[in-house]
Amino acid sequence: MVRYIALHPGQLQILRSEVRFRVVACGRRFGKTELGKTALAYEASRGKRCWWLSPTYQMASQVWRDLKAMCRDVKGLKVNEAERRLDWAEGGMLAIRSTHAADYLRGEGLDFAVLDEAAFMEESVWPQVVRPMLLERRGKALFLSTPYGRNWFWTLYQMGLDSHYPEWESFHYTSYDNELILRQELDEIRRVTPERVFREEYLAEFADAAGQVFRGIREAATAPADAQPVAGRRYVGGLDWGREHDSTVIVILDTENRQMVALDRFTQVNWALQRGRLKVLCDQWQPAILWAEANSIGGPNIEALQAEGLPVRAFQTTAKSKPPLIEALALAIERGDLALLPNETLLGELAAYEMARLPGGGYRYGAPPGMHDDTVIATALAWQGLKQGGPRVDFA
C-alpha cells in the first residue's frame, strides 16, 4: 500500500490527463514535486518501470527519502540504497537518476519517466537519451519545471499547446494556484522581488531575455552630475577593489533623495595612492558608512582605511550573499527608487550584467566573459548601506 498525500485541484488535473507526454510549467511551491512523486509511485505500483530524473543527485535526495517513506508499507518491496531503486514483488520498479552524466543512462527500457526541473537539463537529454528508452514499451513522460527562458523546455511546452501533436499536452500554473499558500505571502514576496524574477519564478512565464538582470537603466539615469555635499544630509558609499585588469570604484549615494552623487573609478594605481584618493572623496562627502568588498585584496586595504578613521565595513561576497545584494539593486532601479548618474561605464556594465538560473533554485550573477562589473558591485554595496540606515553627519 502506497501512502499518497492529498493533492490540490491543479495537481489532480495534471494527474488525470491521459495523454502520453505532459509538460507542466509552474511557479515555485505549486507542488510539482508532490505531483511527480505521486505519479511515479502510482505507475510503479501498477507494474511499470519508472525513473525520476533530476539535473543532479543532490536535488533528488529528498525525493528518494520521501518515496521510500510513501512506499514503506508495500508488501515485498525491495529497497536498493546503492542504486536508489525500489522494486515491487509484482514487477514494478522506480529509480532515482541524475542527468548530469546522461550517457550513463542509456540502454534501459522504461514505461514512465518524470523529468524534474527539466528546463535545467541539457537539451540532448530528452531526444537522445530518455525518448529512445520509451520506444519499445510506448512509455510516457511527465516534464516538470519552472521556466528558464525560451529553451528546449519552452519548445516542448509549445508542442503541448499545438493540436498537431495529439500525444502532447501542456499545463501552466502559477504559485498562486496552490491553495495551500496564502496569497498575501506571495504578494509580499513580489513586493521585494525584481519583477523579472517574480514573473519567471512564481508566475511561470517564459521570458525572452532570461539573462537580463537590470531593467529601466536609462530611465533611472537622472541624477545631476554636479551635486555637492549638503549639510545635514546622510551619505553612504560602496567600494569595489581592483588593480590591474579591474578598476577600483567608489560610489556615494544621498540617502534623502536616493540618488547617486559621486562615482570615482581608477585603475593601475598602487594601493597607497588608491587609499589616498578614496580618503579625499570620503573627506568631501563624509559618508556615514562605506561598505567595501573584502574578498582577496580587499581585507588589508579595509584594515588600512579603518586605521585612518574611515567608516568602512567589510562585505564578504559569496554564492549566498551576492544574489540578495544584486537583486535589491535591480529592484531599486526597476521601480525608480534610485537615481543613477548618467555615467556610460556604469550604464554599460549594468546593461551587460547577466544571471544564470541554478537548477536548485536561485541565481548566479556576474559580468559576461571579458567584461567588468566593478561599478555594479560598488553601487549595490552603496544601496545596501542606504537601506540599512545609520547616523547623519554634520559637515564642518
Side-chain angles (χ1 to χ4, degrees):
M1 174 182 175
V2 178
R3 298 184 173 213
Y4 296 109
I5 67 165
L7 299 179
H8 61 69
Q11 293 168 314
L12 288 172
Q13 182 183 10
I14 299 166
L15 192 64
R16 289 168 179 163
S17 171
E18 297 181 356
V19 300
R20 189 176 178 191
F21 303 118
R22 292 167 286 178
V23 184
V24 183
C26 54
R28 296 184 72 170
R29 310 312 300 169
F30 164 74
K32 67 177 178 61
T33 303
E34 297 301 330
L35 165 67
K37 289 185 299 187
T38 299
L40 198 75
Y42 174 73
E43 295 291 344
S45 70
R46 296 171 60 239
K48 305 298 184 180
R49 299 177 59 80
C50 310
W51 273 10
W52 178 284
L53 297 121
S54 291
T56 66
Y57 265 126
Q58 183 178 5
M59 292 177 59
S61 294
Q62 185 60 50
V63 173
W64 171 238
R65 290 190 290 270
D66 292 345
L67 284 169
K68 286 189 295 181
M70 287 173 62
C71 302
R72 66 177 181 267
D73 295 332
V74 174
K75 291 183 179 180
L77 186 73
K78 294 182 179 180
V79 180
N80 187 325
E81 288 286 353
E83 296 186 11
R84 290 191 174 185
R85 171 172 168 155
L86 303 179
D87 286 280
W88 272 250
E90 297 81 6
M93 178 275 292
L94 68 81
I96 304 296
R97 295 289 183 263
S98 166
T99 63
H100 178 69
D103 286 342
Y104 291 102
L105 301 176
R106 298 175 185 269
E108 185 169 352
L110 294 176
D111 294 298
F112 183 56
V114 175
L115 290 83
D116 185 38
E117 293 296 0
F120 303 96
M121 297 176 184
E122 292 293 331
E123 184 174 356
S124 62
V125 168
W126 167 244
Q128 297 181 24
V129 180
V130 181
R131 182 65 181 88
M133 297 167 67
L134 304 174
L135 279 174
E136 67 270 23
R137 306 172 76 97
R138 281 197 53 81
K140 300 180 180 181
L142 174 61
F143 302 84
L144 305 169
S145 193
T146 49
Y148 184 38
R150 298 193 173 186
N151 61 2
W152 71 275
F153 177 70
W154 176 80
T155 302
L156 296 189
Y157 182 81
Q158 297 307 305
M159 290 173 59
L161 301 176
D162 191 335
S163 60
H164 290 93
Y165 299 93
E167 289 193 314
W168 292 78
E169 184 175 4
S170 290
F171 302 84
H172 175 267
Y173 291 96
T174 73
S175 301
Y176 288 100
D177 292 315
N178 184 345
E179 59 188 22
L180 300 178
I181 299 177
L182 291 176
R183 188 178 184 90
Q184 300 93 305
E185 288 288 312
L186 292 171
D187 290 342
E188 175 60 22
I189 291 175
R190 188 169 197 168
R191 191 182 68 82
V192 297
T193 302
E195 188 67 11
R196 168 196 48 76
V197 174
F198 188 86
R199 298 185 76 85
E200 185 173 72
E201 290 274 287
Y202 296 93
L203 300 185
E205 295 183 2
F206 291 90
D208 287 315
Q212 185 178 357
V213 176
F214 298 100
R215 296 175 183 246
I217 300 166
R218 293 284 171 180
E219 293 82 353
T222 59
D226 57 352
Q228 295 297 320
V230 177
R233 290 279 181 88
R234 178 179 177 270
Y235 298 95
V236 296
L239 172 61
D240 185 53
W241 297 99
R243 189 171 186 180
E244 296 179 1
H245 302 295
D246 296 318
S247 300
T248 291
V249 176
I250 182 172
V251 166
I252 305 294
L253 302 181
D254 182 331
T255 65
E256 186 167 318
N257 56 18
R258 298 193 170 196
Q259 69 179 20
M260 186 181 293
V261 293
L263 185 156
D264 198 3
R265 176 176 176 268
F266 38 93
T267 58
Q268 297 182 336
V269 178
N270 68 52
W271 295 126
L273 288 176
Q274 288 196 35
R275 292 195 299 270
R277 191 161 171 174
L278 291 167
K279 190 173 188 308
V280 169
L281 195 63
C282 288
D283 287 343
Q284 177 186 4
W285 291 98
Q286 295 289 303
I289 188 172
L290 182 65
W291 279 101
E293 190 172 32
N295 301 50
S296 183
I297 56 178
N301 284 298
I302 289 173
E303 292 179 4
L305 291 174
Q306 289 173 337
E308 295 182 29
L310 272 66
V312 183
R313 293 189 186 178
F315 182 89
Q316 290 289 342
T317 304
T318 66
K320 183 177 181 180
S321 66
K322 189 173 183 179
L325 183 78
I326 297 299
E327 288 166 8
L329 177 62
L331 186 65
I333 294 173
E334 182 177 293
R335 296 187 174 178
D337 292 336
L338 174 63
L340 304 171
L341 285 169
N343 179 286
E344 288 302 319
T345 299
L346 168 65
L347 302 184
E349 288 189 1
L350 287 168
Y353 205 70
E354 296 179 338
M355 73 167 189
R357 172 83 183 278
L358 301 175
Y363 294 86
R364 179 175 60 247
Y365 294 99
M371 297 190 68
H372 306 283
D373 63 357
D374 315 292
T375 61
V376 175
I377 300 301
T379 305
L381 290 170
W383 179 252
Q384 173 175 276
L386 185 150
K387 295 298 290 181
Q388 289 190 349
R392 290 180 178 270
V393 173
D394 292 324
F395 289 86

